[in-house]
Amino acid sequence: MTTIEDRDAAGRRGLILAALMCTMMLAAMDTTIVATAIPQIVADLGGFRLFSWVFSIYLLAQTVTIPVYGKLSDLFGRKPVLIVGTLIFLAGSAASSLSWDMVSLIVFRGAQGLGAGAIMATVSTLAGDLYSVRERGAVQGWLSSVWGVAAIAGPLLGGAFAEYVSWRWIFLVNLPVGALALVLIATFLHEDFEHRHPRIDYLGAALVLASVGTVTFGLLQGGQAWPWRSPQSLAVFALAIVLLAATVRVERRAAEPVIPGWLWRRPVLAGSNLAVVGMGLVMMGPSSYLPTFLQSVQGLGAIVAGMVLASMSLGWPAASALSGRLYMRIGFRDTALIGAVLMLVASSAFLLMPRPQPVSAVVLDQVVLGAGFGLLSTALLVGVQSTVGWERRGVVTGANMFSRYLGQSLGAALFGAVFNAAVAERLAEAPAAIAGRLPQGVNDVIGALNDSATGAPAQAYLRDAIELATRHLFVGMALISALVFLVLLVVPRHFPELPQPGVEPGQARLDRG
């Protein structure tokens, strides 16, 4: 990697970082800003039974394309992939604002997800290109802070647009932000790229999209649209196994495979990605159910509950920013181990809190959990990037980001099953004196809590059921955190870094001038 000594070049690099933060903001804020406006969207477009797909199709399209975009950025350069992906995202945003029914909105949200996959795959890769290993921790802290801002600004903007203007503006607001990012990238980012004529693995890319898409689809639909043991679920996962086997067979023979075999043969890369899958799993526990617990059991309002969850976003960027100093002293693996310990401590601490849990203690707990995520994710991302040259950095970054989102999809399915099973068991065990006032199924629990006809004793029983289910989630989070710690113990302590600084073998240098 070439370094920058003069102030002017350093300033241009700062502008590129600002552009990367803008593009990251597009992807980060999209889900939170849409969630707040769903009641208004459904009231205008109808299709209530389909609205969950407004989120699912976005996550599905983003997740399955990340590894493909990572490979394309190695073949054709980061700049064209990021620009094309951002343009696709903005086109999907503009089209979403013009939706005439729920089906059209779902289709256009899928287009947004296709663009978001390119953003997620290339932003962190470019950060690895532009900055040295020592600097990348602080840079990842800046990029992580975007998610903290999105967690707070998204619901506020979404609510304001939906209430005072129109829900369509939650998509239109992306256009000026994206335009600014594109101008900065086009003006200041110039890749000195060695143009060649690579052999594109079209069949492999199609199979990767199909196999990963089928797995993600099964995880999103299982336990929601149909039971886990239903014929539909079994058929989807059977198809996924066939597609995965075909993908492995094709990728082994491809000249330029989308997901090369060496990603899984190197213990550093395989272990790091597996640990990130575990982190993604743990993330979905509080993200999915902590606001429900705080509102239903603690009696907090929706905004306050959202702010408590957002406190996780305070610890994450702070820990990411500090991780650079830490991993330069003790190494990437040991820094990630500290992050896993913080994840375990935070998950276990919730179980030890007095009941009712003090809100301040829950906030502190989420800050510690976010710090664990920040240390683990940043150390492992920078660590795997440091083990390869420019021509492979897109692939390893894409694999790392894909692993996190795969973990989140697994976590949504796992914790949904755990939470629903715990509540259903409590409903089945209800005393005869209140059983008649309780809802028949888990889906009606929140409605019964808000219905005065349910009665105080039955409502108290339902709150206890939700609290017990939430505690089950944190037990699961603690167990997964412990497994992540054990996985990291197997990962080699010293990552085989390339020389820093200096031009890496085969690297296409970035011309910051």
Side-chain angles (χ1 to χ4, degrees):
M1 175 180 294
T2 53
T3 58
I4 298 176
E5 299 296 339
D6 61 282
R7 293 183 179 180
D8 186 50
R12 286 194 292 272
R13 190 172 62 168
L15 289 171
I16 296 173
L17 178 58
L20 297 182
M21 293 177 69
C22 285
T23 53
M24 183 72 84
M25 178 64 75
L26 294 175
M29 196 166 64
D30 199 71
T31 300
T32 57
I33 197 172
V34 173
T36 314
I38 278 295
Q40 289 77 13
I41 294 175
V42 172
D44 190 10
L45 301 181
F48 178 76
R49 65 185 181 85
L50 297 174
F51 88 87
S52 64
W53 271 101
V54 173
F55 305 101
S56 298
I57 194 67
Y58 178 87
L59 178 62
L60 177 63
Q62 176 183 254
T63 303
V64 301
T65 54
I66 284 176
V68 176
Y69 283 125
K71 180 62 178 181
L72 290 176
S73 74
D74 284 340
L75 295 177
F76 300 104
R78 327 296 188 209
K79 183 176 180 178
V81 172
L82 182 57
I83 288 178
V84 170
T86 304
L87 288 173
I88 293 173
F89 184 92
L90 296 179
S93 298
S96 295
S97 72
L98 301 174
S99 300
W100 54 90
D101 58 21
M102 190 61 72
V103 174
S104 63
L105 178 59
I106 290 170
V107 171
F108 298 142
R109 285 281 290 166
Q112 279 189 296
L114 293 176
I119 292 171
M120 298 307 300
T122 53
V123 166
S124 293
T125 308
L126 267 170
D129 292 338
L130 286 165
Y131 294 89
S132 68
V133 171
R134 182 180 298 275
E135 297 170 310
R136 288 176 199 166
V139 172
Q140 289 299 327
W142 282 105
L143 294 176
S144 298
S145 69
V146 170
W147 294 89
V149 173
I152 298 172
L156 294 177
L157 282 175
F161 284 137
E163 185 171 351
Y164 298 109
V165 189
S166 167
W167 62 265
R168 298 180 188 274
W169 276 93
I170 66 177
F171 300 109
L172 292 174
V173 73
N174 291 329
L175 302 184
V177 178
L180 173 61
L182 287 173
V183 169
L184 291 174
I185 291 169
T187 303
F188 296 104
L189 178 60
H190 304 285
E191 288 183 301
D192 181 14
F193 185 69
E194 180 184 349
H195 292 282
R196 50 197 178 100
H197 300 284
R199 298 173 61 184
I200 303 175
D201 181 19
Y202 291 107
L203 179 57
L207 285 172
V208 167
L209 292 175
S211 57
V212 174
T214 304
V215 171
T216 309
F217 176 78
L219 293 172
L220 292 172
Q221 294 294 92
Q224 303 294 327
W226 52 64
W228 285 108
R229 297 181 182 179
S230 65
Q232 298 97 316
S233 188
L234 294 176
V236 168
F237 286 111
L239 176 61
I241 291 173
V242 172
L243 290 171
L244 287 170
T247 302
V248 172
R249 183 181 179 88
V250 169
E251 292 294 84
R252 282 180 174 176
R253 300 179 177 181
E256 291 280 1
V258 175
I259 302 181
W262 53 263
L263 278 173
W264 317 112
R265 290 192 295 268
R266 295 185 183 181
V268 162
L269 300 179
S272 297
N273 290 337
L274 185 58
V276 173
V277 170
M279 189 195 85
L281 276 161
V282 175
M283 286 175 62
M284 292 310 294
S287 297
S288 300
Y289 294 100
L290 186 60
T292 299
F293 165 78
L294 293 171
Q295 292 177 71
S296 302
V297 178
Q298 302 283 55
L300 301 182
I303 294 178
V304 176
M307 292 301 178
V308 173
L309 179 62
S311 60
M312 181 195 302
S313 301
L314 299 176
W316 191 322
S320 293
L322 293 173
S323 66
R325 297 182 180 179
L326 197 56
Y327 63 61
M328 292 303 294
R329 288 190 175 187
I330 65 174
F332 298 112
R333 197 284 303 265
D334 289 353
T335 301
L337 278 173
I338 296 175
V341 169
L342 291 179
M343 288 164 49
L344 178 58
V345 168
S347 301
S348 303
F350 182 89
L351 301 172
L352 301 175
M353 291 182 191
R355 301 167 63 183
Q357 292 82 355
V359 175
S360 59
V362 178
V363 168
L364 179 60
D365 190 64
Q366 291 303 295
V367 171
V368 173
L369 185 62
F373 293 153
L375 288 179
L376 187 144
S377 63
T378 302
L380 294 183
L381 175 60
V382 176
V384 297
Q385 287 180 338
S386 71
T387 66
V388 296
W390 186 97
E391 72 284 351
R392 290 181 168 183
R393 189 174 292 141
V395 166
V396 298
T397 304
N400 186 273
M401 300 302 296
F402 167 74
S403 297
R404 182 195 300 184
Y405 283 100
L406 178 62
Q408 289 180 232
S409 299
L410 291 168
L414 173 64
F415 288 125
V418 170
F419 189 90
N420 291 340
V423 173
E425 183 179 0
R426 289 293 291 166
L427 292 177
E429 297 174 349
I434 61 171
R437 293 182 175 273
L438 296 176
Q440 297 300 309
V442 176
N443 290 335
D444 301 320
V445 167
I446 300 299
L449 266 175
N450 297 324
D451 187 354
S452 58
T454 303
Q459 288 175 326
Y461 188 84
L462 291 175
R463 283 192 289 271
D464 287 341
I466 292 175
E467 181 181 22
L468 178 64
T470 305
R471 294 175 70 84
H472 282 13
L473 296 184
F474 277 84
V475 169
M477 290 165 55
L479 292 175
I480 296 170
S481 298
L483 288 175
V484 170
F485 181 86
L486 294 177
V487 167
L488 288 171
L489 285 179
V490 180
V491 173
R493 184 175 186 183
H494 299 291
F495 284 31
E497 297 177 55
L498 290 173
Q500 294 285 339
V503 180
E504 298 169 359
Q507 177 176 339
R509 293 174 297 165
L510 287 171
D511 173 18
R512 288 89 165 197

